[in-house]
Amino acid sequence: MRWQRGRRSDNVVDARGRSGRRLGGGLSLGGVAVIVIVGLLMGQDPLQILVQIAGQATQPQVTQTQSAPAANDEQSEFVRAILGDTEDTWRELFQQAGQQYRDPQLVLFSGGVNSACGFASSAVGPFYCPGDQRVYLDMAFFREMEQRFSAAGDFAQAYVIAHEVGHHVQTLLGVSAKVNAARQRGERVEGDGGLLVRQELQADCLAGVWAHHAQRRHDWLEAGDLEEALNAASAIGDDRLQKQSRGQVVPDAFTHGTSQQRVRWFSTGFESGQPGRCDTFKVARL
């Protein structure tokens, strides 16, 4: 992927090397929700993650001794290039729809980070917090993608960033608020075909929409790049992660969709380039 062609965003906050543990106080409900959802995505037991973080919260604050990477190292340059291009894409698409796009910030952290959704350790993986409209990313996740999920490559990493930006687009369009309102009414949002799965698959499709316009703008994809993204989407499907962690598939516990569904919806966005093709909430078959 010739990502160097992308415009660098000014909305990346590099907090690596200075992310400390939170002192006491307990997790907010939003923080618990983030850990449960992303824990399931990562194929880990959310309860174990919560216990681990709760134990950290009672310990004295630990100052990380590692020095922060240079602000212009290759990793941050890559993130800035991808985020910058998502900004260019969504600004244009929102303008065409008579709306204004508000850029999210992306926070690079290491170890743990505080957000409006609560404290999160790197164990939860990348996440978007609608409370502060920020994407949070520990770059160590990309190494885990390669080593644990066999999902390597720069375009696979770009897909992850674009998926989280897709959640920001959903927040601006009011989709996230509707899903959250259903949860607050006591509706069950988990499970195969549930609102959480539909929300995540829509974010996959929106990531594909970005990739379509980015490729048209830069012609930056090289041989094998698209396969990298599709492989990453497949690798983090609920069915595949559950099979790896539990030895069986439990559709009632789905939160992100199957491998096949994730690949299908990313491909739908990539092939069409049209956000209107990403309405996963109205289709009967995901």
Side-chain angles (χ1 to χ4, degrees), residues 173-191:
L173 296 178
V175 174
S176 302
K178 291 179 180 178
V179 174
N180 194 46
R183 190 204 309 271
Q184 292 177 344
R185 289 194 300 267
E187 296 181 22
R188 191 173 188 277
V189 296
E190 301 85 0

Side-chain angles (χ1 to χ4, degrees), residues 90-100 173 275:
W90 290 112
R91 287 172 187 173
E92 179 182 345
L93 291 173
F94 268 60
Q95 185 178 33
Q96 291 174 2
Q99 303 180 58
Q100 185 174 4
L173 296 178

Side-chain angles (χ1 to χ4, degrees), residues 1 3 6-9 76-87 154-155 157-159 161-162 165 210 220:
M1 180 183 183
W3 59 264
R7 178 187 64 82
R8 307 304 192 264
S9 172
S76 66
E77 284 291 295
F78 170 77
V79 172
R80 292 175 194 276
I82 302 304
L83 185 65
D85 201 73
T86 66
E87 292 167 352
D154 44 16
F155 195 53
Q157 297 172 4
Y159 153 73
I161 296 171
V165 172
W210 160 75
W220 59 6

Side-chain angles (χ1 to χ4, degrees), residues 141-163:
F141 177 75
F142 292 149
R143 290 195 298 274
E144 184 168 12
M145 280 179 59
E146 180 175 358
Q147 297 169 3
R148 182 180 176 188
F149 303 124
S150 299
D154 44 16
F155 195 53
Q157 297 172 4
Y159 153 73
V160 170
I161 296 171
H163 173 93

Side-chain angles (χ1 to χ4, degrees), residues 11-51:
N11 290 308
V12 174
V13 178
D14 197 339
R16 291 174 294 171
R18 50 190 175 90
S19 304
R21 293 175 179 172
R22 193 188 61 173
L23 291 176
L27 283 170
S28 70
L29 290 178
V32 172
V34 168
I35 290 171
V36 170
I37 293 172
V38 185
L40 290 171
L41 167 65
M42 296 294 295
Q44 299 180 16
D45 184 350
L47 181 59
Q48 292 182 0
I49 300 176
L50 289 169
V51 170

Side-chain angles (χ1 to χ4, degrees), residues 210-286:
W210 160 75
H212 171 96
H213 291 275
Q215 172 63 5
R216 189 176 65 177
R217 185 183 300 115
H218 300 297
D219 187 28
W220 59 6
L221 295 185
E222 299 174 288
D225 280 342
L226 182 58
E227 288 74 16
E228 288 176 1
L230 296 177
N231 180 53
S234 176
I236 53 179
D238 282 326
D239 54 342
R240 183 167 173 179
L241 291 176
Q242 288 181 353
K243 195 71 180 287
Q244 291 175 346
S245 62
R246 305 182 183 187
Q248 61 180 339
V249 176
V250 185
D252 285 346
F254 283 0
T255 58
H256 287 69
T258 66
S259 295
Q260 184 181 44
Q261 289 170 337
R262 301 200 72 168
V263 168
R264 180 190 306 133
W265 282 101
F266 176 85
S267 299
T268 296
F270 182 76
E271 291 167 5
S272 69
Q274 300 176 20
R277 296 286 300 276
C278 296
D279 194 347
T280 56
F281 295 88
K282 289 185 178 180
V283 298
R285 176 179 177 270
L286 290 172

